[in-house]
Amino acid sequence: MIIKIKYPLRGSLIRQVLALKRTIEPFDAGTYAPEAPEGEKYAAGLRKTEVRWIAEQDHQELYAELHRIVMEHQAKLGVTARLRFAGDMQLATYREGHHFTWHRDVGDADPVVRLISASVLLTTDFAGGQFEFMNPVAPTLRKAGDIVMFNSDETHRVAPVTRGVRNSLVAWFTKA
């Protein structure tokens, strides 16, 4: 199940997150590939993204707002358990040519079972880079602040960015 939230993340919080690009050191995010040959931890062809991790203790207002939004809508996804964040939120920056191939946010090797994933579009001055689901009737993100929530086992991707820079905030939720 996939839903788009009617009320977007506030502009002041979007500006706060984007400002973190100046203060948190980014790193290149590959995707772990358990089947990769010995010594090759990441499969670069699966994902090309610059990421920054946003610690909850440093950004409590942002965490509280996204948590409130998810709690308000989680029943629409069939999740009734009390939820908490499944780790820190991620600020993802996709530049020209960056992408994330089809994947799910759950895996057998994950120590935490993710139930709900949320993605917030932070910028719109790019081409390509659509957040897509295998489900053909899934909602699209068009405006800064748009939020899509989905069960973490939904297959999705970020298509290659062809122009500009796409920024998004990603969070995952598990049982409290």
Side-chain angles (χ1 to χ4, degrees):
M1 174 75 72
I2 306 159
I3 60 172
K4 184 174 175 184
I5 307 306
K6 184 176 180 181
Y7 302 103
L9 192 65
R10 294 190 327 260
S12 61
L13 288 175
I14 293 170
R15 287 186 295 280
Q16 184 181 90
V17 173
L18 289 173
L20 296 176
K21 288 177 69 174
R22 294 188 304 268
T23 60
I24 299 176
E25 192 66 30
F27 68 93
D28 224 7
T31 298
Y32 180 67
E35 72 282 356
E38 190 63 35
E40 293 182 26
K41 184 175 180 182
Y42 292 100
L46 298 177
R47 182 180 191 186
K48 178 70 176 154
T49 317
E50 184 180 286
V51 297
R52 293 166 177 85
W53 294 102
I54 302 172
E56 183 171 5
Q57 68 268 16
D58 299 332
H59 303 282
Q60 292 178 359
E61 181 185 8
L62 174 64
Y63 271 80
E65 180 66 6
L66 196 54
H67 189 263
R68 182 194 64 74
I69 290 167
V70 169
M71 298 311 106
E72 185 178 316
H73 298 282
Q74 74 181 64
K76 295 174 189 168
L77 297 175
V79 177
T80 57
R82 190 164 171 253
L83 298 175
R84 66 173 173 83
F85 284 91
D88 289 341
M89 283 194 263
Q90 182 184 96
L91 170 55
T93 300
Y94 293 83
R95 300 183 187 286
E96 286 185 34
H98 287 191
H99 66 283
F100 197 164
T101 60
W102 293 108
H103 68 284
R104 298 177 327 138
D105 291 344
V106 296
D108 296 335
D110 291 336
V112 175
V113 177
R114 295 172 177 170
L115 299 174
I116 293 177
S117 299
S119 182
V120 183
L121 186 63
L122 301 174
T123 55
T124 58
D125 53 346
F126 61 91
Q130 297 86 357
F131 190 86
E132 301 173 332
F133 292 92
M134 286 280 190
N135 181 337
V137 295
T140 57
L141 302 176
R142 299 188 189 283
K143 296 184 282 187
D146 278 356
I147 303 170
V148 66
M149 281 176 43
F150 53 98
N151 297 97
S152 296
D153 62 353
E154 287 281 349
T155 302
H156 59 285
R157 75 173 186 164
V158 175
V161 171
T162 57
R163 179 188 49 79
V165 179
R166 178 190 195 278
N167 290 285
S168 59
L169 180 67
V170 182
W172 305 273
F173 295 83
T174 189
K175 284 184 183 179

